[in-house]
Amino acid sequence: MDDAYNYQDIRDSLTKNGRRRSLKTLFQLPLSTRTSIYGSISATAAVGSIPADIVREIVDLLAPSDILSFSLASKHLRALLLPALYETVTLKSSKNCRVTLNMLRSRKDICAHVRKLAVRPNYYLAWPRPDEQLSEAWVVTMIQDISMDLTAMHTFDWDGLELPDDSLWETLRSNCPELRSVFSNVGIRPLDPSCTLFDFSNLTSFSLIVRHGLGGSDLFPVQEALPLRLWDMLLTRCPDLQELAICSFSSSARVFDFDRITEGHWPKLHTLTLGSFGYQSDFSLGPPALTSTLSAFLDLHTDLKYIRFLWNFKRWMSPDEIPMRLASSSLPALDTFIGVYQQLAELPNPQAIETLDLTCEPVYESRLAAVCPILRTLTNLTSLDIWTHVLNPSQDHALFFFSILTSCPKLTDFHFMCTTSFTVKPLKQLITQLYLLPSLKRFSLTKGHKYIDENMLSTALRILKYNPALKQINIRWARERCPNHLKQEGCYDVVVDKQGIPEALAVVERGIPLIGVPFLRRFRHRLDTGGGSDFKRKMRKDVRVIPL
């Protein structure tokens, strides 16, 4: 049920500027190393009493909103930071597309600073309010109008309802000489075998994704053959490919046959996303490349750092074993793996894994004996996303949580997802054991929601009470049997005083209430610490009383 969330992770990370990390985007696909993006002010020119090169170092640590505020301090700073402000332009709605594309058409000087452009007209994942309608043909025309001025653009990401008109790809290929990363989604329209999207050469990144939300009810949809011209582009004209994604987030409606990917050899490939894998009509695992040539393909690509395999087992559980058959020298650089736990069992270098996502399907208590030993082999794991089912919240699940947490004690980022009902009792059993993760800084909770549950802020305060060292808490409410699974979400950044004791929460909440209109609110919630350091001692005392 979390496909929309996972889909958005991929789309955001493909055009992410890489300045900061945040659990709002739990996984990142690395882009090629960026060169200097700042204005042509001399490195020794001062901004006030601060050398310009020091200003650039500071800006590299700032969020985009902070860079904007910083740039408004003076004309000199504005000139220096303008390229950083527009390095990555992500238009997350029809309104953003309409306003920003009109602005860029009138400000050709700004176009020259854009290196990564992502457009999302008629955004089908807009939430909590639906996006307004906008002609995607108009969006294509506007991008074509400014294409001659996008002289520095090396990444373009199209995320509309359907694949754009062929003329867009022709124009970008002709007018944007630096373009090396091309990402596009598809909707319900069949792929045109002569589509000009497949006429690029020398790409370093390419993505073709079936967008989320197409519906469908096929348990075993027929795999769609990809055009020969796509394979000719990838296999013969893009030898330096570094990132590749071919996958479906509507696997009950449309899936691609990506078997031919195993014919490729890209020595620089470091990021790979494929799917969906799953049961075939005879209940064998497929597509066929999974059990035949995929292992040899992975053995060959020793620079792979990020692998994401999308799995869809629909109404059934995954099998107990999924053979990988990897060589002992395979995947020496792999540090991020997203898939199912069975594939981890055969990784020859498990100690290299730092980021793991196990949200393809729920992990049940009955599988703890298989999952936990695998987790313990990942001795350098610092980021974990895991989906579990708590079938009866009135029972004691403390041992279940204890087993998971003690299997990965070095976590700094932990996302726990339980889309069944997750009431205060199992919540407390979980959060009172987070002390088992002494380095934990960011904790995210996605929980099955009932309208009688406490509000998100109360949950965040409850989490912080037992874990005062946290820097950020993220909470999401979901209801599996609703048209819109996600109901509310909140981000709570912990503000500390000079002694490092939490004194407030910087809060951003949005969602759909039981009654009323969708909301977005930002506020600062001051904590009642009850006496400075005594508050910290009280928390430490509380977390020692652990029900096991």
Side-chain angles (χ1 to χ4, degrees):
M1 70 160 285
D2 211 46
D3 280 354
Y5 184 59
N6 290 329
Y7 176 91
Q8 192 52 59
D9 290 341
I10 287 183
R11 304 311 300 227
D12 283 344
S13 58
L14 286 170
T15 54
K16 192 173 177 66
N17 65 6
R19 294 179 189 275
R20 290 138 300 278
R21 292 174 181 260
S22 169
L23 280 185
K24 294 177 183 177
T25 302
L26 292 167
F27 293 99
Q28 305 176 37
L29 300 186
L31 291 165
S32 55
T33 303
R34 69 177 166 88
T35 56
S36 175
I37 61 171
Y38 298 100
S40 57
I41 298 176
S42 167
T44 59
V47 180
S49 60
I50 307 175
D53 55 347
I54 301 300
V55 173
R56 294 177 178 125
E57 292 293 328
I58 294 172
V59 168
D60 276 340
L61 302 174
L62 297 180
S65 59
D66 295 326
I67 298 175
L68 175 61
S69 299
F70 196 15
S71 71
L72 297 177
S74 71
K75 291 183 179 180
H76 192 56
L77 272 173
R78 180 74 174 176
L80 177 65
L81 301 182
L82 193 65
L85 285 171
Y86 290 98
E87 175 203 10
T88 297
V89 176
T90 302
L91 309 181
K92 296 183 178 181
S93 67
S94 292
K95 181 179 179 180
N96 286 162
C97 289
R98 178 167 42 80
V99 172
T100 306
L101 290 175
N102 274 315
M103 181 274 292
L104 290 174
R105 187 170 63 173
S106 63
R107 291 291 307 274
K108 302 299 178 66
D109 57 314
I110 291 179
C111 290
H113 300 309
V114 177
R115 292 173 176 253
K116 306 170 191 174
L117 175 62
V119 291
R120 297 173 184 162
N122 304 307
Y123 193 41
Y124 39 90
L125 294 180
W127 179 90
R129 297 179 184 273
D131 200 6
E132 63 184 59
Q133 292 296 306
L134 181 65
S135 167
E136 295 189 358
W138 178 87
V139 177
V140 167
T141 299
M142 294 295 288
I143 296 172
Q144 290 175 318
D145 285 350
I146 65 174
S147 62
M148 288 289 290
D149 300 291
L150 297 171
T151 54
M153 186 174 74
H154 61 66
T155 298
F156 178 75
D157 180 6
W158 173 269
D159 195 6
L161 294 176
E162 294 287 351
L163 198 70
D165 186 84
D166 261 12
S167 62
L168 176 63
W169 305 118
E170 295 175 3
T171 301
L172 293 179
R173 195 172 62 255
S174 299
N175 295 344
C176 303
E178 300 299 318
L179 187 59
R180 293 292 180 269
S181 298
V182 176
F183 311 117
S184 183
N185 67 335
V186 299
I188 60 175
R189 289 204 300 257
L191 288 174
D192 181 354
S194 61
C195 178
T196 57
L197 171 60
F198 312 134
D199 286 345
F200 284 92
S201 297
N202 299 315
L203 293 178
T204 58
S205 302
F206 180 77
S207 171
L208 188 68
I209 298 176
V210 178
R211 70 173 178 86
H212 180 271
L214 296 185
S217 57
D218 289 345
L219 294 178
F220 308 107
V222 176
Q223 291 179 347
E224 177 182 343
L226 290 168
L228 294 177
R229 293 177 69 243
L230 177 145
W231 293 118
D232 180 60
M233 177 185 73
L234 295 178
L235 298 175
T236 64
R237 302 200 311 276
C238 297
D240 296 322
L241 205 63
Q242 298 175 24
E243 300 173 275
L244 179 59
I246 301 177
C247 62
S248 172
F249 281 91
S250 293
S251 56
S252 293
R254 188 174 189 183
V255 292
F256 291 138
D257 179 356
F258 50 83
D259 280 11
R260 288 197 63 191
I261 195 173
T262 59
E263 298 175 22
H265 180 208
W266 300 283
K268 298 179 181 179
L269 189 68
H270 59 66
T271 297
L272 177 66
T273 299
L274 294 177
S276 290
F277 296 94
Y279 288 123
Q280 307 300 289
S281 57
D282 61 357
F283 284 91
S284 63
L285 290 179
L290 171 68
T291 55
S292 56
T293 54
L294 182 60
S295 298
F297 174 83
L298 296 178
D299 290 343
L300 193 62
H301 291 83
T302 55
D303 281 357
L304 276 171
K305 295 182 178 180
Y306 177 112
I307 290 178
R308 183 173 195 146
F309 291 149
L310 278 67
W311 288 85
N312 184 2
F313 291 106
K314 302 183 176 76
R315 300 177 183 176
W316 304 281
M317 288 181 64
S318 59
D320 291 334
E321 295 182 358
I322 300 178
M324 290 279 282
R325 302 187 178 91
L326 296 172
S328 59
S329 58
S330 185
L331 303 176
L334 185 67
D335 60 29
T336 299
F337 182 82
I338 304 169
V340 290
Y341 77 90
Q342 295 92 324
Q343 293 179 295
L344 291 168
E346 295 186 38
L347 289 183
N349 298 288
Q351 72 283 354
I353 300 294
E354 298 176 0
T355 298
L356 174 64
D357 182 321
L358 297 178
T359 59
C360 285
E361 67 167 351
V363 174
Y364 292 90
E365 292 188 60
S366 60
R367 285 189 155 175
L368 275 182
V371 174
C372 289
I374 294 174
L375 290 177
R376 286 194 287 270
T377 67
L378 312 180
T379 53
N380 291 304
L381 187 67
T382 58
S383 178
L384 173 65
D385 287 60
I386 190 167
W387 180 12
T388 70
H389 267 185
V390 173
L391 298 179
N392 187 347
S394 64
Q395 292 182 352
D396 187 347
H397 298 279
L399 182 60
F400 178 43
F401 305 139
F402 178 85
S403 300
I404 294 173
L405 298 176
T406 54
S407 298
C408 38
K410 293 184 179 179
L411 292 184
T412 59
D413 296 73
F414 181 35
H415 175 206
F416 181 87
M417 183 167 73
C418 180
T419 48
T420 51
S421 179
F422 200 72
T423 59
V424 169
K425 181 177 179 178
L427 173 62
K428 190 171 182 180
Q429 291 171 351
L430 171 64
I431 63 177
T432 55
Q433 298 193 77
L434 291 181
Y435 78 98
L436 296 166
L437 306 176
S439 301
L440 188 66
K441 299 302 179 187
R442 286 164 292 274
F443 175 66
S444 294
L445 173 69
T446 299
K447 64 185 288 293
H449 171 59
K450 290 187 175 181
Y451 288 111
I452 60 173
D453 288 352
E454 64 183 5
N455 61 47
M456 288 188 296
L457 178 59
S458 296
T459 299
L461 293 172
R462 186 185 298 274
I463 293 169
L464 184 61
K465 173 185 175 183
Y466 293 102
N467 303 277
L470 288 174
K471 300 300 182 185
Q472 187 183 77
I473 299 168
N474 296 280
I475 298 172
R476 300 166 70 233
W477 283 354
R479 289 179 64 85
E480 194 163 7
R481 290 182 173 83
C482 287
N484 188 330
H485 297 317
L486 185 58
K487 291 300 165 186
Q488 296 184 23
E489 67 178 5
C491 177
Y492 308 86
D493 287 305
V494 181
V495 181
V496 299
D497 61 18
K498 293 181 179 179
Q499 287 73 44
I501 298 173
E503 66 176 10
L505 290 176
V507 180
V508 179
E509 295 179 336
R510 62 176 181 159
I512 305 170
L514 177 60
I515 300 174
V517 297
F519 65 86
L520 169 63
R521 51 189 177 232
R522 303 172 186 269
F523 58 94
R524 186 182 179 98
H525 179 83
R526 190 161 187 84
L527 300 174
D528 181 10
T529 60
S533 60
D534 289 338
F535 174 70
K536 194 169 184 179
R537 286 197 295 270
K538 179 178 183 298
M539 289 187 177
R540 287 177 175 171
K541 180 179 179 181
D542 284 343
V543 299
R544 289 194 187 105
V545 184
I546 305 301
L548 296 179

